[in-house]
Amino acid sequence: MLKTAVKHPEVLAPAGTPEKLRIAIDYGADAVYIGGDAYGLRSRAGNFSFEEMAAGAKYAHERGAKVYVAANIVAHEQNLAGAGEFYRHVRDAGIDAVIVSDPSLIETAITEAPGLKVHLSTQASATNYETLNFWQHEGLERVVLAREVGIAEIKEMRQHTDVQIESFVHGAMCIGYSGRCVLSNHLSLRDANRGGCAQNCRWKYDLFDIPELGQKRELMGHNAEGKIEKFSMSAVDMSMIEHIPDLVDAGVDSLKIEGRMKTVHYVSTVANVYSTAVRSYCEDPEHYQLKQEWVDELWKVAQRELSTGFYYGTPNEDFQLFGKRRRLPHYAFVGEVLGYDDVTKQVTVQQRNNFGIGDQIEFYGPHFAHHTQIVKDLFNDENEPIERAPHAMEIVHFTCEQPVKPGDFLRAQSKL
Amino acid sequence: MTELVATVASYDQAAALITAGVDRLYLGEDYFGLRLPHSFKPDEIAQIVELAHQHDRKVTVAVNAIFHNDRIKKVTAYLQKMSAIGVDEVTIGDPGAIYLLQQAALDLPYIYDAADLVTSSRQINFWGKHQASGAVLAHEVPYQEMVPLSQQIDIPVEVTVYGAIAIHQSGRPLLQNYSNFVQEHLNKTDRQRGLFISAPHKEETHYSIYEDLNGTHIFANNDLDLMTDLPKLWDLGLRRWKLDGLYADPTNFVKQVAAFAQARDLLDQDQASAVQLADLDQTVRDLQPAERGLDNGFFDLDPNEVK
């Protein structure tokens, strides 16, 4: 049977700041998730005030996109006061849904902010369809699955529930069941479930047993270089770009990208790639082809190696970081296009990282526009020739052979 | 009356625990329950239920695993079986299992147990509204938070007063993966193997780690021992106390439980002195496995110390 156009699932991007919210949407995200000043798990991400939420929601809604607020801490006694008011403010800011993990906060959102839609956070480790049914029965619109759920399991869930399913497709992963890890609480006195995770899983540990009473014995093995390799629990990152059809066909309603702490460069690139791939597949599934340039693009913003997590089975040692990390090609975000003069072919750029004459610059914009060139000339805002642009946010001009648009970004491969 | 709950590692130990004075035995099968000293089949559970009931004690069965589709399908039949053999209560941590328990309309109470996630009165009361008869309090709730919590809860909570404290559950075989990477075979990675890790630059630390069909489990540096803090719990009305013998010596564990049972009796009769509790605590410490330290966990922690 020929596949005709299929329903387009949402591509959901992280937005740590109002700027990233606008960029994620400009770069194709159908929805973004942000954090508020309270109840979020990313205490160090740039969180949104209620005014910023309202402005962000307006910007998104004018473009047919949605904004969700992550409020997914697990509350202790002293965190409960004020939660209802917080959710009412979120609702009144026009936010499309809150992402919540703690049942007490779910109840607060539902009873004290009527009309506010609620999604279950991945922190609640939903791994089966009866759990999805439970939460739908509670009035939730959507469940974000645990990262331990595979494609075949999602397909089966889809047959047993019609609650919306959201699943992580890209970014960093917890090594344990999210929420079921308090390594950080016990090793660093930082509450993993209240925004303080110290990522202790990524530490290097000594491994022992005690074969005879009182005598502990080291059990560490060796890596390929013959050196002692300590025990670690560090997960590589996830990327499902090569498996978009599986996700769409399994019935995932929202493809989620991790990274509220990540940069503009990351957010724009990943939102761009996934929205392009999903659109391409849904418009014409029969003739869909994965493009290598999408994969290449994601590697440019990768911080760790990439894997498919639990989607196709229990991750083995290749899905963890051991030994020396493979050096990934590292790209820096160097500027944003402010304008382009078609006559003089001069591009005006606001600098974000040091670049200069002789550097190979890649322009990229929404809808996957791409153009690469060497910088051959460079002028400051007074039109004086310069060699490099070292100053943050300075305005510079140079010749760009192909037309580019305001809002396009520039990146360059970092010198290693 | 204060209720003492203890994990069970064998039928014989169950009998000894009853003699030692426990009110409730806690056991289960690792296909359905997490981090159990022994994995009992239903007919073995039935025998222990019969024994417990002969002595007017209760049995709680662990159904607190994180279930994927393959296992959630078997939960209803398991709950029906537990109900049929007279189990008094189950623990549940996965809301999907609660959903099934309610659909099955069994006369089988459950207490909510989602390990580290149960941290507030409002959450506990949420489960109370969903017919939970109790909840297991997270180990990461300090005494200062228990005080207001104890005044707000609509259903009883169970507080762990002795035993190994789980601090991590991974769905991945972390030890096998490590073993494969370094290409040096770790002969067995189960609990009996006694593996542990220590934190960077803290060689004296001891975090037990093992793998089973529920994934990889890691435990806190020291086992918990709230013996000398029991009066505070008692005064708050938090009077369901669990002892977890997962990493205890099975014979010594019964004696440790007996010490806690004595403390319970003294408290219930309003006769416990600090000296007596210190003596009983020394008994618990003397029976503790040599390689496993004891402390009172997060009990004395100022909530503001946790970031």
Side-chain angles (χ1 to χ4, degrees):
Chain A
M1 191 179 75
L2 267 178
K3 287 189 194 169
T4 51
V6 293
K7 184 171 163 272
H8 184 306
E10 172 184 282
V11 171
L12 174 56
T17 62
E19 182 195 24
K20 289 175 201 168
L21 177 147
R22 292 189 294 273
I23 286 164
I25 291 167
D26 292 350
Y27 276 76
D30 304 292
V32 297
Y33 62 103
I34 65 177
D37 286 332
Y39 303 104
L41 268 188
R42 293 286 174 267
S43 57
R44 285 164 290 167
N47 288 323
F48 283 59
S49 68
F50 296 123
E51 292 73 29
E52 288 169 334
M53 282 184 198
K58 182 168 182 285
Y59 186 88
H61 295 162
E62 285 168 0
R63 289 157 183 80
K66 290 181 173 170
V67 181
Y68 310 131
V69 167
N72 50 353
I73 68 159
V74 179
H76 285 236
E77 215 59 25
Q78 63 274 22
N79 308 126
L80 297 172
E85 194 184 356
F86 173 80
Y87 288 122
R88 283 192 293 279
H89 281 303
V90 169
R91 177 196 62 191
D92 297 344
I95 294 299
D96 296 280
V98 283
I99 306 167
V100 191
S101 164
D102 182 333
S104 74
L105 295 174
I106 290 172
E107 182 184 49
T108 304
I110 288 172
T111 58
E112 297 186 33
L116 179 61
K117 291 187 172 124
V118 180
H119 297 173
L120 185 74
S121 164
T122 192
Q123 296 297 118
S125 292
T127 49
N128 67 73
Y129 49 82
E130 299 295 0
T131 300
L132 272 57
N133 286 329
F134 176 94
W135 289 114
Q136 186 179 35
H137 188 72
E138 289 298 305
L140 274 62
E141 176 183 56
R142 178 185 292 184
V143 170
V144 188
L145 298 179
R147 289 188 180 86
E148 285 76 8
V149 175
I151 283 284
E153 291 177 319
I154 297 176
K155 267 188 200 163
E156 191 180 8
M157 285 177 180
R158 193 71 292 168
Q159 291 159 10
H160 291 89
T161 177
D162 57 3
V163 73
Q164 292 180 21
I165 291 176
E166 177 176 313
S167 199
F168 276 94
V169 299
H170 195 90
M173 298 180 78
C174 284
I175 195 76
Y177 280 99
S178 297
R180 296 294 186 105
C181 173
V182 282
L183 286 172
S184 175
N185 306 47
H186 286 259
L187 276 72
S188 299
L189 274 187
R190 301 178 61 91
D191 191 340
N193 289 326
R194 282 186 290 172
C197 180
Q199 302 211 24
N200 307 71
C201 58
R202 301 197 191 272
W203 290 2
K204 302 268 184 199
Y205 294 83
D206 291 326
L207 177 67
F208 300 94
D209 67 355
I210 302 183
E212 288 170 59
L213 197 66
Q215 284 290 43
K216 70 178 184 181
R217 173 177 65 172
E218 280 196 359
L219 290 171
M220 274 88 76
H222 298 80
N223 56 29
E225 291 91 54
K227 296 208 174 101
I228 290 278
E229 178 68 34
K230 293 200 172 194
F231 177 76
S232 186
M233 308 175 261
S234 187
V236 303
D237 289 353
M238 182 198 286
S239 175
M240 284 293 284
I241 189 60
E242 296 181 25
H243 307 279
I244 295 297
D246 281 358
L247 291 161
V248 176
D249 294 351
V252 176
D253 297 286
S254 178
L255 279 58
K256 184 169 206 165
I257 298 160
E258 181 276 342
R260 271 196 289 138
M261 308 280 284
K262 299 267 171 66
T263 61
V264 163
H265 182 207
Y266 170 91
V267 169
S268 57
T269 301
V270 180
N272 208 6
V273 167
Y274 278 93
S275 60
T276 303
V278 168
R279 198 180 318 109
S280 169
Y281 176 67
C282 293
E283 279 167 4
D284 187 5
E286 192 66 21
H287 299 99
Y288 173 79
Q289 273 195 317
L290 171 74
K291 293 208 172 81
Q292 186 56 38
E293 57 177 341
W294 299 339
V295 180
D296 295 345
E297 194 74 358
L298 292 175
W299 279 104
K300 291 173 188 171
V301 292
Q303 293 182 327
R304 302 186 183 93
E305 295 193 47
L306 300 171
S307 77
T308 53
F310 282 75
Y311 279 110
Y312 299 100
T314 303
N316 65 15
E317 64 273 18
D318 297 335
F319 293 60
Q320 283 179 240
L321 285 167
F322 290 114
K324 252 198 263 172
R325 275 163 68 163
R326 187 154 72 92
R327 185 168 278 191
L328 302 174
H330 185 252
Y331 284 77
F333 174 38
V334 298
E336 179 176 352
V337 174
L338 298 180
Y340 184 77
D341 188 324
D342 289 318
V343 180
T344 63
K345 300 199 168 179
Q346 287 276 301
V347 61
T348 303
V349 167
Q350 186 177 55
Q351 188 265 29
R352 296 298 184 92
N353 264 304
N354 189 335
F355 74 99
I357 291 175
D359 290 353
Q360 178 160 299
I361 298 284
E362 185 180 323
F363 290 87
Y364 70 100
H367 313 302
F368 231 76
H370 266 82
H371 158 59
T372 302
Q373 72 161 74
I374 306 274
V375 178
K376 295 189 176 125
D377 54 5
L378 192 63
F379 304 92
N380 65 18
D381 210 21
E382 275 79 51
N383 246 344
E384 298 159 350
I386 52 175
E387 284 293 313
R388 303 203 62 79
H391 305 300
M393 309 302 274
E394 71 176 303
I395 309 293
V396 297
H397 315 271
F398 61 93
T399 307
C400 177
E401 292 104 5
Q402 286 188 29
V404 289
K405 290 185 182 143
D408 286 358
F409 290 140
L410 290 71
R411 63 159 82 98
Q413 191 159 0
S414 304
K415 305 244 175 347
L416 297 174
Chain B
M1 286 292 280
T2 305
E3 187 174 27
L4 216 57
V5 187
T7 57
V8 177
S10 66
Y11 181 90
D12 291 345
Q13 197 202 35
L17 286 166
I18 288 169
T19 306
V22 302
D23 303 289
R24 186 181 288 274
L25 299 169
Y26 179 55
L27 69 162
E29 178 177 355
D30 58 11
Y31 191 87
F32 297 99
L34 291 176
R35 299 179 284 271
L36 300 161
H38 182 77
S39 185
F40 292 97
K41 292 289 168 204
D43 57 331
E44 296 171 319
I45 294 174
Q47 288 169 11
I48 292 174
V49 169
E50 197 185 337
L51 173 73
H53 287 177
Q54 279 165 11
H55 294 86
D56 206 19
R57 314 299 165 92
K58 294 195 159 70
V59 173
T60 297
V61 168
V63 190
N64 59 353
I66 299 169
F67 299 108
H68 285 250
N69 293 348
D70 58 342
R71 283 201 231 175
I72 198 75
K73 288 174 197 160
K74 299 183 178 165
V75 165
T76 299
Y78 189 70
L79 292 169
Q80 284 164 340
K81 187 169 280 176
M82 292 305 108
S83 181
I85 63 176
V87 165
D88 300 285
E89 177 191 79
V90 291
T91 61
I92 295 184
D94 186 327
I98 297 171
Y99 196 67
L100 292 176
L101 177 64
Q102 292 178 343
Q103 285 178 351
L106 300 169
D107 183 21
L108 181 63
Y110 81 93
I111 68 167
Y112 188 69
D113 177 13
D116 59 291
L117 292 174
V118 183
T119 52
S120 75
S121 58
R122 186 147 188 182
Q123 192 198 143
I124 290 161
N125 293 343
F126 174 92
W127 297 113
K129 287 173 206 161
H130 291 76
Q131 286 75 53
S133 56
V136 181
L137 192 64
H139 307 118
E140 290 73 26
V141 175
Y143 172 72
Q144 279 188 41
E145 293 178 5
M146 289 181 193
V147 175
L149 181 145
S150 65
Q151 292 158 5
Q152 299 291 328
I153 46 177
D154 303 330
I155 54 172
V157 296
E158 177 181 278
V159 180
T160 304
V161 297
Y162 169 82
I165 299 304
I167 60 172
H168 180 92
Q169 182 183 353
S170 176
R172 307 176 189 226
L174 298 177
L175 289 163
Q176 276 179 44
N177 285 354
Y178 171 74
S179 178
N180 290 343
F181 180 81
V182 297
Q183 297 189 338
E184 279 174 39
H185 187 57
L186 277 175
N187 179 27
K188 299 214 303 179
T189 55
D190 62 7
R191 181 167 45 85
Q192 284 73 18
R193 178 75 167 77
L195 295 168
F196 63 96
I197 57 177
S198 62
H201 315 299
K202 287 189 177 171
E203 210 184 306
E204 74 286 0
T205 54
H206 179 288
Y207 300 92
S208 291
I209 180 168
Y210 74 88
E211 291 172 351
D212 65 7
L213 56 80
N214 290 300
T216 307
H217 310 273
I218 301 173
F219 297 82
N221 181 36
N222 287 323
D223 289 352
L224 187 69
D225 169 18
L226 295 187
M227 176 66 86
T228 57
D229 300 304
L230 293 179
K232 286 182 169 175
L233 291 176
W234 199 93
D235 287 344
L236 292 180
L238 304 180
R239 296 180 196 165
R240 174 167 163 153
W241 301 339
K242 181 163 73 191
L243 295 98
D244 192 326
L246 187 67
Y247 271 101
D249 171 81
T251 308
N252 285 347
F253 179 62
V254 175
K255 297 176 186 164
Q256 289 173 309
V257 171
F260 275 90
Q262 271 190 57
R264 173 206 54 193
D265 294 343
L266 290 168
L267 282 158
D268 282 348
Q269 293 153 21
D270 201 16
Q271 289 175 357
S273 71
V275 174
Q276 283 170 316
L277 290 176
D279 283 350
L280 290 169
D281 191 41
Q282 195 54 52
T283 305
V284 171
R285 291 176 178 275
D286 291 344
L287 295 161
Q288 181 68 0
E291 71 282 8
R292 305 190 68 81
L294 286 169
D295 65 29
N296 68 352
F298 277 41
F299 195 82
D300 286 332
L301 208 65
D302 177 347
N304 298 316
E305 273 183 70
V306 187
K307 301 285 179 255

